[in-house]
Amino acid sequence: MSASAGTSNRRTRVASLRLRPPPKTEAAAEPIARAATTHLEQLLGYNARRAALTLIARFMEDLAEHDLRPADFSVLSALNHHPGMTSRQLCQHLNILPPNFVGLLRQLMQKGWVRKIPHPTDGRAVGLFLTPAGQRLMTQAEAMALQSDREASSMLSETERKTLIRLLQKIYLRDE
Amino acid sequence: MSASAGTSNRRTRVASLRLRPPPKTEAAAEPIARAATTHLEQLLGYNARRAALTLIARFMEDLAEHDLRPADFSVLSALNHHPGMTSRQLCQHLNILPPNFVGLLRQLMQKGWVRKIPHPTDGRAVGLFLTPAGQRLMTQAEAMALQSDREASSMLSETERKTLIRLLQKIYLRDE
DNA sequence: TATTGTTATACTCTATAACTATA
DNA sequence: TATAGTTATAGAGTATAACAATA
């Protein structure tokens, strides 16, 4: 999402060009703002993306206070609940390509949140574990994530929230 | 989304490492696959993103047959229904940063789908219009988009689909 | 021969600063 | 002084090919 998404929410003040004769009815400059996306709004994919970007933008702001990005959070959360996963396992379950995981993991280790422990019998594999500092971080970060997510969707009732999650899962769980 | 998302949907065959003593109950290698994301699945943002990626992956495949990417489609669709919009207007309403729009527009013009018409009185502004070829393309592409979106969400009833769109819009329309 | 982890690399998307020409 | 459009550039995120060490 572009930076302007978060900051330039005011309406455009650019005058309509009227390069064509204006329609009979009063279609001024302003209505274009809504109408321009009207056709896209029929698409479920478009709506899901817009909502996801709205929710995630909020989530990312809050994560940044912990010096984390979404991928970091996903990895640390997985290790928090399933210590000892290997790089390969994490990549498969979080849909990260192994070459892209190398740098990510290096950062998490440099920050002192993750450590490697070689597998006792398989010299290729290395188990990944949160350090005590990593565990403390995730206790905070996971609570924050839950709260952040709730606040960003505070316009929904509890029933609506549950319905929404159920329908969204119906879409993507089909794929697995 | 990584390429593996579309192709490597089979279950992992990597054995669990068991670097720690296994829990009392039978926690084998396989259950990790589901459990690893269990905590994320409570988050609306996570679910919206997963669903959006699923829907959009399908959409992108179909778009590619027309040599289009999502941003191209958005721009052409806006121009299809609102001819004469300026670059600035398109950028604001589709949330594209002007510098990133330059190359995108250049491609659309090279492909013969869009043309510029200078504003008669404002020398800075240029109106954008679909060419006849661009109009023919979008007649096909928009029909395809609707069908693609329907098919990718065919596991939902018509009522569920409408509910889902309504709830998603409730989230992101708050922002505008 | 297959798998784990890695390096190098490239492409797309997104972002900022700063320029030009017009108003 | 402000706006429309542009250039150059940088940073994420994501992708592929190929390698060394180990099984």
Side-chain angles (χ1 to χ4, degrees):
Chain A
M1 184 184 288
S2 75
S4 56
T7 55
S8 70
N9 285 333
R10 32 204 155 280
R11 289 214 168 277
T12 174
R13 282 176 189 81
V14 179
S16 178
L17 280 190
R18 298 216 188 273
L19 290 172
R20 298 185 315 156
K24 308 292 183 288
T25 57
E26 252 307 302
E30 291 301 314
I32 287 179
R34 296 287 307 142
T37 50
T38 283
H39 288 75
L40 295 174
E41 281 166 6
Q42 299 174 24
L43 302 177
L44 199 46
Y46 175 81
N47 286 284
R49 179 159 194 272
R50 286 291 303 268
L53 287 175
T54 297
L55 294 170
I56 290 168
R58 169 66 170 273
F59 179 53
M60 285 178 68
E61 281 177 30
D62 293 343
L63 270 187
E65 293 173 20
H66 293 278
D67 203 14
L68 289 173
R69 281 168 301 179
D72 302 323
F73 179 85
S74 301
V75 170
L76 293 174
S77 181
L79 291 180
N80 193 23
H81 302 287
H82 301 280
M85 289 183 84
T86 65
S87 293
R88 185 65 69 172
Q89 288 175 321
L90 271 170
C91 286
Q92 283 172 334
H93 300 311
L94 295 178
N95 204 29
I96 300 171
L97 292 174
N100 298 330
F101 185 69
V102 176
L104 199 165
L105 176 58
R106 183 157 40 220
Q107 281 191 326
L108 295 180
M109 291 180 64
Q110 279 172 356
K111 284 171 177 164
W113 293 331
V114 175
R115 65 197 162 108
K116 292 181 176 178
I117 298 185
H119 189 282
T121 62
D122 186 336
R124 297 170 302 181
V126 180
L128 303 176
F129 296 85
L130 293 191
T131 62
Q135 287 169 16
R136 284 194 298 275
L137 172 75
M138 287 313 287
T139 299
Q140 284 191 295
E142 288 191 335
M144 184 225 70
L146 227 70
Q147 194 193 341
S148 165
D149 195 70
R150 292 265 167 185
E151 286 177 9
S153 58
S154 60
M155 69 292 287
L156 301 182
S157 72
E158 191 53 33
T159 305
E160 286 177 323
R161 187 188 159 85
K162 281 179 181 159
T163 300
L164 185 48
I165 289 185
R166 180 176 62 80
L167 294 178
L168 290 171
Q169 287 181 353
K170 216 166 166 178
I171 290 174
Y172 74 79
L173 288 182
R174 171 68 57 101
D175 255 18
E176 294 188 343
Chain B
M1 182 184 287
S2 74
S4 56
T7 55
S8 69
N9 287 331
R10 32 205 153 279
R11 288 213 170 280
T12 175
R13 281 175 189 82
V14 179
S16 179
L17 280 190
R18 297 215 187 276
L19 289 172
R20 297 186 315 157
K24 308 292 184 286
T25 57
E26 253 305 302
E30 289 301 315
I32 288 179
R34 296 287 309 140
T37 49
T38 283
H39 289 75
L40 295 174
E41 282 167 5
Q42 298 174 25
L43 303 176
L44 200 47
Y46 176 81
N47 285 285
R49 179 159 194 272
R50 286 291 304 268
L53 287 175
T54 297
L55 294 170
I56 290 168
R58 169 65 171 274
F59 179 53
M60 285 178 69
E61 281 177 31
D62 293 344
L63 270 187
E65 292 173 22
H66 292 278
D67 201 16
L68 288 174
R69 283 171 298 182
D72 301 323
F73 179 86
S74 301
V75 169
L76 293 174
S77 180
L79 291 180
N80 193 22
H81 302 288
H82 300 280
M85 288 183 84
T86 66
S87 294
R88 184 65 68 171
Q89 286 175 322
L90 270 170
C91 286
Q92 283 173 334
H93 300 310
L94 295 178
N95 204 29
I96 300 170
L97 292 173
N100 298 330
F101 185 70
V102 176
L104 198 165
L105 176 59
R106 183 156 41 220
Q107 281 191 327
L108 295 180
M109 291 180 65
Q110 278 170 357
K111 284 170 176 163
W113 293 331
V114 175
R115 65 197 160 109
K116 292 181 176 178
I117 298 185
H119 189 282
T121 62
D122 186 336
R124 297 170 303 181
V126 180
L128 303 176
F129 297 84
L130 294 191
T131 62
Q135 288 170 15
R136 284 194 298 274
L137 172 75
M138 288 312 288
T139 299
Q140 285 192 294
E142 288 191 334
M144 186 224 70
L146 227 71
Q147 193 193 340
S148 166
D149 194 71
R150 293 265 166 184
E151 286 176 10
S153 59
S154 61
M155 69 291 287
L156 301 182
S157 71
E158 190 53 33
T159 305
E160 287 177 323
R161 187 188 159 83
K162 281 180 183 160
T163 300
L164 186 48
I165 288 185
R166 181 176 62 80
L167 294 178
L168 290 171
Q169 288 181 352
K170 214 165 166 178
I171 289 173
Y172 74 78
L173 288 183
R174 170 70 57 100
D175 255 18
E176 294 189 344

